[in-house]
Amino acid sequence: MITIIANLKGGSGKSTVAFNLAVWLEKNNRPVIGYDLDPQCTFSDLAMLRREMEYKPDLTIHSVRAVLKEQLLAHAGHEVLIDVGAANLAAMKEALTAADRILIPVPPSQADVWATQRFLHIIGPDLEVMKASGTQQTMAFVNRADTNKSIRETHETEAALRLLPGIDVVLPQRLRLRTGFRRSLSEGLTVFEMWPRSKAAQEFRTLAKALYPDMAGQS
Ligand SMILES: Nc1ncnc2c1ncn2[C@@H]1O[C@H](COP(=O)(O)OP(=O)(O)O)[C@@H](O)[C@H]1O
Ligand SMILES: [Mg+2]
């Protein structure tokens, strides 16, 4: 399956989610090919850091300006994860022609809902093409949700996302704002490697299994 992790805004958690997913899939015997189409290169920097530190599993992440549909479709037997930001819309549009789904992490605020709406508007024509050719989906979930349940922004953001034309699924499996994501990332590790029993790790695994339902029995 080819999954694009994208959002117009930086800091929404694209690279964090792409990286944690890549390691989780590899650890569960699903080989991954990653593409880092973001000039910030966070996803590929993380792969490099893991290699330097000799952490296993090792990740294969290609840092490139663009990737052709044919290249993406040539990775049979692999999960393909593509991290791409707004700085490279042309590459995102090309990748969309091959993708099975687009996953959009959205921080819980009205500004982020508007940014997501704008993003869907920009890629709208490409999404139409993607959907016309099969069962492709646009999925969103709230990342950096407040840990205090009485704060309403997360609910409001999910409700607003559900109303956006162009979003097929709003996953209820949100990730909360947990320092573990930031701290593990700076070591080249995932939350579930660094703190396997943490809430961050539990939330991440729940999200990963929702994204890959056939792997629900994995750790
Ligand atoms: N759920 C979260 N809780 C806490 N920190 C997070 C969370 N998701 C992402 N971060 C942190 O926020 C920063 C930006 O995330 P990043 O994945 O680089 O965003 P993007 O790739 O969308 O620009 C990073 O330091 C990352 O570790
Ligand atoms: Mg990034």
Side-chain angles (χ1 to χ4, degrees):
M1 182 147 46
I2 302 174
T3 305
I4 300 185
I5 299 146
N7 193 320
L8 212 50
K9 277 178 79 168
S12 55
K14 295 179 291 291
S15 303
T16 304
V17 171
F19 172 69
N20 276 267
L21 274 179
V23 176
W24 182 80
L25 287 163
E26 284 276 353
K27 273 193 178 279
N28 287 301
N29 305 314
R30 274 293 173 95
V32 172
I33 301 278
Y35 282 91
D36 190 352
L37 300 178
D38 193 328
Q40 286 188 13
C41 301
T42 312
F43 195 21
S44 42
D45 281 349
L46 287 164
M48 213 187 313
L49 179 56
R50 280 183 84 86
R51 206 157 303 138
E52 279 165 17
M53 302 301 288
E54 298 182 11
Y55 293 148
K56 298 287 170 214
D58 198 19
L59 298 180
T60 303
I61 314 289
H62 302 294
S63 176
V64 286
R65 293 250 346 116
V67 57
L68 295 172
K69 177 179 184 176
E70 294 71 35
Q71 279 173 281
L72 291 175
L73 294 175
H75 298 306
H78 286 81
E79 287 299 334
V80 179
L81 294 175
I82 306 167
D83 178 1
V84 57
N88 200 350
L89 274 176
M92 183 182 321
K93 284 167 176 261
E94 172 73 21
L96 271 171
T97 62
D100 296 298
R101 59 184 179 177
I102 176 161
L103 178 65
I104 313 174
V106 186
S109 79
Q110 186 57 49
D112 284 287
V113 172
W114 285 328
T116 305
Q117 189 171 18
R118 184 146 300 136
F119 172 57
L120 291 167
H121 183 73
I122 293 170
I123 63 166
D126 307 279
L127 277 180
E128 289 303 315
V129 174
M130 183 176 104
K131 287 182 186 175
S133 60
T135 56
Q136 292 88 341
Q137 278 192 316
T138 312
M139 308 172 111
F141 71 97
V142 171
N143 182 31
R144 315 174 71 102
D146 207 285
T147 47
N148 182 339
K149 291 198 177 74
S150 68
I151 295 190
R152 298 190 46 80
E153 264 91 350
T154 297
H155 276 300
E156 287 170 2
T157 299
E158 286 175 348
L161 288 173
R162 286 199 178 92
L163 294 176
L164 288 187
I167 297 262
D168 300 312
V169 180
V170 179
L171 293 165
Q173 291 84 1
R174 49 181 86 128
L175 298 180
R176 293 196 169 78
L177 185 67
R178 310 253 181 228
T179 53
F181 282 105
R182 201 181 58 237
R183 288 173 55 197
S184 56
L185 209 71
S186 58
E187 305 284 328
L189 290 168
T190 62
V191 269
F192 52 87
E193 289 169 303
M194 202 147 166
W195 293 289
R197 291 174 189 279
S198 64
K199 288 180 181 163
Q202 284 169 25
E203 285 167 8
F204 175 76
R205 280 192 212 96
T206 305
L207 174 69
K209 290 175 190 181
L211 290 169
Y212 297 91
D214 58 320
M215 295 174 70
Q218 308 290 342
S219 58

